[in-house]
Amino acid sequence: MLTRRIIACLDVRSGRVVKGVQFVDLIDAGDPAALAHRHALEGADEIVLLDITATHEGRGTLLETVRRTASELFVPFTVGGGIRTADDAAAVFDAGADKVSINSAALANPELIGQIGADFGAQAVIVAIDARRNTDSGDPVRDAHVFTHGGRRDSGRSVIEWAHEAESRGAGEILLTSMDSDGTRAGFDCELTAAVSEAVRIPVIASGGAGTVAHFADVFDRGKADAALAASIFHFGVSTSRALKQELAQQGISMRLPC
């Protein structure tokens, strides 16, 4: 049975972790290094740090923040935001990341996926997709669009088509964030996650909407996700990865349980 992963996410702006609803109304959640360390101790399988304003502000990733956070971790660490070239990726790896997540830059230059993978391995390249259902379509899920620049711009690209292309260009994983569900704690977009999971053979990480144990069980079942990422429920003490994984294991979902 495939072991599912629970991933804690740190959305970082100006060196601080923030969290909002549907990519807006951001509030401060704490220091990234301290939160990363806490989440790892509490059982998270991996930590993802996303510098959410780097691309919009036209700058590189906050490398000192990456270094401080990496120094506190003993679980795999992914960093995204502001990575526009293979050299940018190399600097992030040098700062302590195990994987990089690329979004807007990959859409602008799809060859970047293979370039980073050639240097660091496909398993180290995650293509992040910020997705919103297309309400103007008769099939809003299958016709969902990819958004870039921290969710500010509609690329016009189909989420499913882009996920398939990203895989063909060497992505090791897809990080799929439902902008419609983000921060709502009302549940993952299982229909969209399943559509992407069925379109690719690489792992799909579901993101956006986690609020209860049932939401995770649902996205692993109906959504066919390989991993699920959450932020608010961990940052604000709703649950811990350890408690979440124990409850999921009791429901028959294969988890890597912490000691």
Side-chain angles (χ1 to χ4, degrees):
M1 183 182 297
L2 177 66
T3 300
R4 310 294 184 174
R5 290 172 289 149
I6 300 296
I7 301 173
C9 183
L10 310 172
D11 291 327
V12 173
R13 181 181 67 175
S14 302
R16 297 286 293 178
V17 177
V18 295
K19 193 60 193 136
V21 177
Q22 297 179 336
F23 287 36
V24 296
D25 298 330
L26 302 179
I27 62 173
D28 187 273
D31 175 70
L35 281 174
H37 183 67
R38 190 187 95 195
H39 295 330
L41 286 176
E42 291 177 345
D45 293 305
E46 301 181 23
I47 303 293
V48 170
L49 184 154
L50 301 176
D51 187 344
I52 61 173
T53 58
T55 297
H56 176 63
E57 294 172 359
R59 58 170 173 78
T61 311
L62 296 172
L63 295 178
E64 184 54 36
T65 299
V66 174
R67 289 189 189 94
R68 285 199 311 111
T69 305
S71 70
E72 296 290 335
L73 290 177
F74 50 88
V75 298
F77 181 37
T78 297
V79 174
I83 299 170
R84 293 163 291 189
T85 67
D87 286 343
D88 290 339
V92 170
F93 284 119
D94 287 344
D98 300 292
K99 306 177 189 179
V100 295
S101 171
I102 52 176
N103 185 340
S104 302
L107 272 163
N109 175 24
E111 293 182 358
L112 178 62
I113 301 169
Q115 291 168 359
I116 297 173
D119 290 335
F120 300 98
Q123 80 288 342
V125 186
I126 297 176
V127 170
I129 300 177
D130 293 335
R132 190 184 289 279
R133 290 187 179 212
N134 182 2
T135 56
D136 294 329
S137 166
D139 191 342
V141 172
R142 296 202 65 82
D143 292 337
H145 282 191
V146 180
F147 280 68
T148 64
H149 296 78
R152 294 173 178 83
R153 301 183 190 177
D154 184 348
S155 72
R157 291 289 305 270
S158 158
V159 169
I160 293 174
E161 289 177 2
W162 172 232
H164 189 269
E165 180 180 346
E167 177 186 36
S168 71
R169 290 183 176 274
E173 295 183 82
I174 299 293
L175 169 55
L176 177 68
T177 298
S178 165
M179 294 179 61
D180 301 298
S181 301
D182 178 71
T184 64
R185 302 191 200 177
F188 295 94
D189 189 333
C190 292
E191 292 80 10
L192 180 59
T193 305
V196 174
S197 296
E198 290 168 351
V200 299
R201 293 167 295 178
I202 56 177
V204 173
I205 303 166
S207 170
T212 68
V213 174
H215 294 156
F216 285 87
D218 200 24
V219 82
F220 289 139
D221 180 17
R222 287 196 304 122
K224 303 181 180 180
D226 298 273
L229 177 149
S232 298
I233 66 167
F234 299 141
H235 299 339
F236 303 122
V238 178
S239 183
T240 67
S241 294
R242 177 178 286 103
L244 174 63
K245 291 163 79 173
Q246 288 170 340
E247 292 188 60
L248 289 170
Q250 290 172 0
Q251 295 183 32
I253 298 171
S254 181
M255 289 278 128
R256 185 180 296 108
L257 295 175
C259 299

